[in-house]
């Protein structure tokens, strides 16, 4: 008997199109070989100690230029998996995502991760943090983030602009990172991280 747990809630291609990955309602990422259209493997996205049974996958996003996959799920975690051995590289904490279809994405250069949140904020993490600069900490966990209040309701989408810059009367001018965010009420805002304006 099938329940709604096998429902596909996210999909994308990874490893330069070699695999298609489907995220499910019960917290699995299932990989299919695109050349032969066959099942390859799967990852159960859940806490290491099995405290959660696996929560809905709300997005899957490949890291540009690397064999890694960013997975957003409804346990308020964003995880980066190494696709060579299907191990967890890092877990990013901070945002609140218990029931929404919120997705984390990378900056164009892959150095940062941005994600909306049910607490009306935008969260930004460095993709790779230098653990040697910290007095203590785990290599597979990143709780160091920047956040700011972005909207008056849940931030359902947040992305970095594909090209850092802004259009003005004189043409395109480099102003640093630009972000676009949308909320549950349909409001869209543009943010610029720059001290040069």
């Amino acid at each position: 008997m099938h329940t709604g747990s096998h429902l596909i809630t996210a999909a994308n291609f990874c490893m330069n199109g070699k695999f298609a990955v489907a995220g499910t309602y019960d917290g699995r990422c299932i990989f299919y070989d695109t050349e032969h259209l066959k099942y390859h493997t799967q990852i159960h996205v859940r806490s290491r100690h099995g405290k959660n049974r696996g929560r809905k996958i709300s997005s899957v996003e490949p890291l540009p230029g690397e064999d890694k996959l960013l997975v957003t799920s409804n346990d308020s975690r964003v995880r980066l998996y190494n696709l060579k051995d299907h191990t967890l590289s890092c877990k990013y904490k901070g945002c609140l995502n218990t029931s929404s279809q919120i997705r984390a994405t990378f900056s164009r250069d892959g150095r940062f991760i941005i994600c909306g949140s049910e607490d009306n904020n935008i969260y930004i993490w460095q993709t790779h943090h230098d653990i040697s600069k910290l007095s203590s900490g785990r290599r597979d966990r990143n709780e160091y983030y920047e956040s700011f209040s972005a909207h008056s309701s849940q931030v359902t989408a947040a992305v970095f602009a594909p090209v850092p810059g802004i259009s003005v009367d004189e043409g395109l001018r480099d102003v640093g990172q630009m972000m676009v965010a949308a909320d549950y009420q349909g409001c869209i805002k543009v943010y610029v991280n720059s001290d040069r304006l």
Side-chain angles (χ1 to χ4, degrees), residues 44 46 53 80 102 107 125 141 152 155 159 186 195:
H44 289 272
R46 58 182 178 217
R53 316 179 304 281
L80 185 66
I102 295 173
S107 58
W125 299 266
R141 194 171 291 164
S152 59
V155 179
V159 295
D195 56 352

Side-chain angles (χ1 to χ4, degrees), residues 76-129:
S76 298
R77 300 291 185 266
V78 177
R79 294 172 174 88
L80 185 66
Y81 285 93
N82 184 332
L83 296 180
K84 291 179 181 174
D85 57 7
H86 303 100
T87 57
L88 179 66
S89 294
C90 193
K91 185 188 308 183
Y92 304 89
K93 294 182 176 184
C95 66
L96 179 63
N97 182 14
T98 60
S99 62
S100 301
Q101 195 70 23
I102 295 173
R103 100 184 164 136
T105 61
F106 294 102
S107 58
R108 184 176 72 136
D109 60 7
R111 291 179 47 221
F112 299 98
I113 296 168
I114 188 169
C115 190
S117 180
E118 292 172 357
D119 65 2
N120 309 347
N121 291 330
I122 291 175
Y123 288 80
I124 301 170
W125 299 266
Q126 285 187 355
T127 304
H128 304 290
H129 58 284

